[in-house]
Structures are given as structure tokens and as C-alpha cells.
Amino acid sequence: MASLSIRLLALSLSVTALFTCSSGHGHTYDPYNDKARMIHHGGPMLNGTVKLAIMWYGNCGKEIKNTMRNFIKSLTVPAKAKLQPQVTYWWKVVESYQSMIPDAKPGKSPKIKVKVVKQSGEKTYKYGKVLTLQGHIPEFIEHVTKGDTELLPVIVAARDVSIQGICNGQCADHLLTEDPHPRPYIIVGNPETECPGECGWPFFPADMGPKGPVLKPPSGNMAADAMVVAFAGALVDAITNPMNDALYHSNKAKELGPATVCKGIFGRGAAPGNPGEVLTDPKTGGNFNAYGNKNKKFLLPAIWNPKTKSCWTV
């Protein structure tokens, strides 16, 4: 690792008020200090081969598409062995959540393979430029999947598209369609023009809270790398809690998944406004914390570690 430097991102100002992820009803959860109580509530988790149907809405661009597809492939296809740490190691922790299922077999958890089996582009803005959760998205999902419930739909927005719910504390989300036959899906917003100060961080100055250093995106594209961060978290929460009745940290207002409880952490020493210690590519200056497929570099969000009962990064 001689060609790489560890970059410690220290805050240049003292923080007097602790930033917390609010969960409503007066209860807050602090990902920097609290240990989440992640419990399996009896529902199913996704396992085996998870088949993604990616729905590119609007002109998403080659860089966003390639970066997200490379990340997905990197979950199970390692980089060169000498390059550490790797995305595959991060994913093994996600696979280990299966051990929390009641009556799970002891030993190593089975592999979970995430595979893109279908892609669909919609550049005509058939459903407009503001996608609603109750109207446009279910119709879009049905049109693309043709009712195939084996597919996990992933709706990715272009820079000029807004998705209902994005920017209100969420940059991507795992949701369910409404009854009578609810199914899980993922939405991913584009922070290039839509709330970059919230969803572009840590590659864009934050709108609120302490002002720390801004990272340089490893791919060179702020939107692409920020969307990987958001999608990675939503994917973990969808795998572990697809129907909102499986693995989550419970409170009175909202179920927090293994990625949501660790929001804002990317390395050791993370604090409000400070993503923590990350690696720096000496050639490009891009910041990352894991290697992936074709030796691509990614910044991965922290996730809950069942061994330590706390947030963890590679």
C-alpha cells in the first residue's frame, strides 16, 4: 500500500452539539456513539441470487451507469488480492446477517449474489419529471417487470428528475408498493442538481451541520459516487428487511436498517461533518475505502457489525 496515503480528515472547529439521526417522538439515535439493538423480527430476508431490474429514468449518463454496475459486480467479484480492503469483504458482513435468522444453521453464512438481470431506459419522461410513490412508480415497475416478483426493481433518477421522498433525510430508499400485493423496490436520487448539499456529501459541501473537509470522488464524478453510497445503503436495508418485518433497529417512529443506523460514517474517527479516515489515490486525488471489480475504487458507507454491535467500515 506504499502508493497510497491514509488521509485523516480532522474537523477544524469544535463541535458543541452532537448531531443525531432523529427518529421522532423525542427519541434520537447517534451513530457515532450508540450501539444499535438490531433484532430479527421474524420476516424473510433476501438470499441466494438477488435479481435486480435497474430502471434508468431520464438520461442518466454513461458514468453513472458504469459506476453503479461496477459496484454491483464488485460485491462478489474481487479485485487483485494485493489490493486491500475490498468491496467483497464489506459484503461478507452483509451476508453474515443471515446468522441472525431464527433456526439459522451454524457456521459460515451462505453467499448472497446480487445480479443485474434486466435494464430498462426511459428517456422520454413518460411519467413526468417528478415521480410519485403512489402513482408513477408502481406503474413504472409493473411496466418494466411485467409482474415478475422475482425481480427487485431499482429506479435510478437522472439529474433533472425528482423522486418523492428524496432529499427529506433520504438520498436513496428501500420501500414497498401498496397493497394488495406489496413488493420491495429501491429508489436512488441524483444529487447533481437535486439537493447536492444533502445527498452529494461527502463529495459536496454539506448544507447543514459542522463544516468539515470535502472528499474528492474516486471516479471523478460526484453524482455517480454519491449515488453508489446511497444505493449501497438502500441495498443492504432491502436485503435484510425487504418486507419491513425482518432485521432492523426498532424505535417508535421508523425501522432503521443496518446501513441507516450508520449514516454519515465512512472510516475511523468519523464525527459530525467528518467522514473519517479514508484512502487517497495518489494519481487522481480521489478518496475511497475499498477496491472492487477491475480494481475500481469506491467509497462505501459504514454498516452495522453483528460481532461488535456497532457501526463498522472496511
Side-chain angles (χ1 to χ4, degrees):
M1 302 287 287
S3 62
L4 295 169
S5 60
I6 298 286
R7 180 180 177 186
L8 176 60
L9 301 175
L11 285 172
S12 60
L13 60 152
S14 62
V15 180
T16 57
L18 183 65
F19 172 79
T20 58
C21 295
S22 174
S23 55
H25 298 276
H27 179 82
T28 57
Y29 175 78
D30 170 24
Y32 304 98
N33 297 293
D34 293 349
K35 287 193 175 184
R37 190 166 180 259
M38 204 69 61
I39 298 173
H40 192 278
H41 294 77
M45 292 172 59
L46 300 183
N47 54 26
T49 299
V50 178
K51 301 175 182 179
L52 301 185
I54 301 184
M55 300 145 69
W56 309 103
Y57 192 81
N59 185 13
C60 292
K62 185 183 296 184
E63 290 184 2
I64 288 173
K65 291 180 179 180
N66 287 343
T67 301
M68 289 191 64
R69 287 186 296 227
N70 264 319
F71 165 70
I72 293 167
K73 195 166 186 178
S74 297
L75 297 174
T76 50
V77 178
K80 292 180 180 179
K82 66 178 182 179
L83 299 176
Q84 297 292 334
Q86 298 203 12
V87 177
T88 51
Y89 186 44
W90 182 84
W91 191 244
K92 287 184 186 300
V93 173
V94 178
E95 293 173 334
S96 74
Y97 298 147
Q98 296 174 92
S99 65
M100 299 182 66
I101 299 174
D103 301 323
K105 294 181 180 179
K108 188 176 180 180
S109 296
K111 290 187 177 299
I112 300 175
K113 185 176 182 179
V114 181
K115 187 177 181 181
V116 179
V117 298
K118 188 179 183 67
Q119 295 185 71
S120 174
E122 175 50 69
K123 294 184 179 181
T124 66
Y125 301 98
K126 178 179 179 180
Y127 303 98
K129 291 191 175 183
V130 179
L131 298 180
T132 60
L133 301 183
Q134 286 74 36
H136 301 135
I137 287 179
E139 185 179 344
F140 189 21
I141 289 174
E142 181 65 25
H143 174 72
V144 172
T145 65
K146 310 299 183 186
D148 186 352
T149 56
E150 292 293 313
L151 302 176
L152 176 61
V154 180
I155 300 170
V156 183
R159 65 188 299 273
D160 55 350
V161 174
S162 297
I163 303 179
Q164 181 185 353
I166 295 297
C167 294
N168 295 318
Q170 297 287 347
C171 302
D173 206 358
H174 144 245
L175 300 163
L176 289 175
T177 57
E178 294 184 338
D179 292 334
H181 303 293
R183 63 179 296 172
Y185 66 94
I186 293 172
I187 55 175
V188 185
N190 187 318
E192 187 173 347
T193 56
E194 188 85 354
C195 60
E198 180 176 356
C199 292
W201 188 84
F203 305 117
F204 193 92
D207 286 338
M208 301 176 63
K211 305 301 181 185
V214 176
L215 302 185
K216 186 173 181 179
S219 74
N221 185 298
M222 179 277 284
D225 288 310
M227 290 167 80
V228 165
V229 170
F231 169 67
L235 178 63
V236 171
D237 290 350
I239 292 285
T240 56
N241 191 27
M243 303 302 294
N244 292 340
D245 58 1
L247 185 67
Y248 58 85
H249 169 77
S250 181
N251 57 57
K252 294 180 180 179
K254 183 177 176 60
E255 299 85 14
L256 303 177
T260 307
V261 295
C262 299
K263 186 177 180 181
I265 299 175
F266 297 92
R268 288 184 298 179
N274 181 359
E277 298 179 16
V278 296
L279 297 169
T280 300
D281 187 325
K283 293 182 179 179
T284 67
N287 300 118
F288 66 104
N289 59 11
Y291 288 95
N293 173 53
K294 297 181 180 179
N295 305 328
K296 297 290 186 181
K297 303 172 183 69
F298 299 96
L299 187 72
L300 302 181
I303 52 177
W304 181 78
N305 189 328
K307 291 184 178 180
T308 63
K309 305 293 189 295
S310 60
C311 294
W312 167 92
T313 58
V314 286

